[in-house]
Amino acid sequence: MQQGCQYFALGNVAYGKYSTKYEYNYQLTGRTTQHADRGYTGDQETMLLSTGTNVQHGAYKPDNDEDQSQVTVTSFTLQVAGHVYGKKDKKQGKPGMLHLGRGMILKALQDPPRGTRELQFYQQVFSPTNTDEVTIALRRFMPAYHGTMEFDGGFLKLENIVEHYKQPCIADVKMGKVTSDPHATPEKAAYEKSKCPSAAVLGFQISGMLIYQPDTGQYERVDKVAGHKLTTDNMISEGIGKFFGYPKSIRKDVIEILLSKLVDLQYWFTSQRQYSFYGSSLLIVYEALICDKHKHPASSKTSSPSQSTTSDDKVSTTSKHQGSSEPNCQSAACLKKLPTIDVRMIDFAHVFPTPVEDRNYLDGLTNLIQHLRLLLDFKS
């Protein structure tokens, strides 16, 4: 990328390909059990990644002095949407997320200009010299940024939101009636719209969910194909409502906390006039484990999030889970120590400057809040 170019100055900047000149080595050091949480059977790889010393990436440079010559990572089995490790994107040739440990994941950066935008957005928001009140206020709604790593391309080091959850339920909700950015061709815009027609009405769409089923003690995965088929008629029964236990045991306790967080985010959007977000998602995580065994006797047979079933094969197998490694608690007192629910904005490859309110995102957020309030009012 040209030196001195301005952030988001897309119109006049020739990004080109990043200059990459280094050697790398993938050494498979171990395998665990199966990836049932992805909806298919496969091995989880543990890799020792050795990066070369001669690294020349135009935009991707380590943000600290940490020794990155050798690290051990695993495929991130709790990913519910986006590119999955081991299934490389046909256009980008990039892997999906990796589990770094120490409370962090690695997210592969896309080719320019998308990867450039996302990297620079994280750098701008989390810069220690940042004095902009708008972006500083946004930090609490984003995964913490810990710099970048270099091997087989650039990776963002981000906070692992699910790290401290024992039985996390996870949903990726893509926001906006329009998900294609202003630089998309008419064909691309039409294609994005055709993937999920109901998003033009709802203002959001389900890209993936991992849902704990208390009756069976198993997890169910909902992929983007099923999520894109949801409509205004069944978004509650089969979509966002299903994620929170509709209709039998709606988790109104976590919905109330989530609503408070989303209203705060709504206020941020109504007050800012700097950015418009296209194709960005809300990552929602809540704790499915109820520690009070008197209320939930079945809690003793709860599975890990990787012991999931899918609507296609209904087969359940197990694999190591990358949230908390502590054993399931069985006391109500322990519940106080568990995180309850979290929500973060993710995916910033299509963030653009704007002098006006981001109605595209804000309308979807408002409608999502309305759906959650309907769940609170529902008498189960």
Side-chain angles (χ1 to χ4, degrees), residues 250-258 287 290 340-341 376:
I250 301 174
R251 287 295 302 274
K252 295 185 179 183
D253 57 329
V254 295
I255 293 176
E256 289 178 346
I257 299 172
L258 176 60
E287 179 57 64
I290 302 296
T340 305
I341 187 166
L376 279 185

Side-chain angles (χ1 to χ4, degrees), residues 141-152:
F141 298 113
M142 296 172 60
Y145 169 71
H146 297 285
T148 60
M149 291 194 73
E150 300 276 358
F151 52 86
D152 195 20

Side-chain angles (χ1 to χ4, degrees), residues 74-280:
T74 58
S75 50
F76 188 57
T77 60
L78 295 180
Q79 184 177 344
V80 296
H83 307 303
V84 175
Y85 176 79
K87 291 186 174 182
K88 291 193 174 183
D89 185 283
K90 294 180 180 179
K91 295 181 179 179
Q92 301 296 324
K94 297 290 186 182
M97 291 184 180
L98 298 171
H99 184 238
L100 181 60
R102 295 172 295 165
M104 290 181 285
I105 59 170
L106 298 177
K107 178 185 179 182
L109 281 158
Q110 301 178 65
D111 287 337
R114 287 176 287 185
T116 305
R117 282 194 295 259
E118 181 158 41
L119 172 64
Q120 291 187 336
F121 187 70
Y122 270 108
Q123 288 176 330
Q124 179 176 346
V125 172
F126 288 95
S127 170
T129 61
N130 181 15
T131 58
D132 177 51
E133 293 182 359
V134 171
T135 51
I136 290 176
L138 186 60
R139 288 176 181 173
R140 69 183 187 275
F141 298 113
M142 296 172 60
Y145 169 71
H146 297 285
T148 60
M149 291 194 73
E150 300 276 358
F151 52 86
D152 195 20
F155 284 77
L156 294 168
K157 288 198 299 184
L158 301 174
E159 175 188 2
N160 180 6
I161 305 302
V162 305
E163 181 79 9
H164 300 292
Y165 288 81
K166 296 178 183 293
Q167 301 286 348
C169 288
I170 309 169
D172 183 307
V173 184
K174 184 174 289 189
M175 303 303 296
K177 294 182 177 180
V178 177
T179 58
S180 56
D181 68 42
H183 292 269
T185 64
E187 293 78 13
K188 174 65 174 177
Y191 172 70
E192 288 295 321
K193 184 177 181 178
S194 68
K195 289 194 299 185
C196 185
S198 62
V201 179
L202 290 168
F204 65 89
Q205 57 188 277
I206 303 296
S207 295
M209 297 189 294
L210 187 64
I211 311 171
Y212 174 67
Q213 303 293 339
D215 293 341
T216 63
Q218 301 293 324
Y219 273 81
E220 177 183 356
R221 174 172 288 275
V222 178
D223 62 18
K224 66 179 180 181
V225 175
H228 289 171
K229 293 179 181 179
L230 296 171
T231 67
T232 55
D233 294 329
N234 64 0
M235 179 55 72
I236 290 288
S237 59
E238 298 298 324
I240 200 68
K242 181 178 182 179
F243 179 66
F244 287 107
Y246 174 92
K248 293 182 179 179
S249 54
I250 301 174
R251 287 295 302 274
K252 295 185 179 183
D253 57 329
V254 295
I255 293 176
E256 289 178 346
I257 299 172
L258 176 60
L259 277 171
S260 176
K261 293 176 181 290
L262 292 181
V263 169
D264 284 345
L265 181 60
Q266 184 183 42
Y267 176 78
W268 184 86
F269 268 95
T270 58
S271 59
Q272 70 95 14
R273 300 293 187 276
Q274 294 188 29
Y275 306 108
S276 57
F277 297 79
Y278 297 92
S280 180

Side-chain angles (χ1 to χ4, degrees), residues 33-50:
T33 48
Q34 297 161 322
H35 283 259
D37 61 313
R38 292 184 187 170
Y40 66 92
T41 300
D43 290 331
Q44 175 186 340
E45 295 183 347
T46 301
M47 295 166 293
L48 184 66
L49 300 176
S50 299

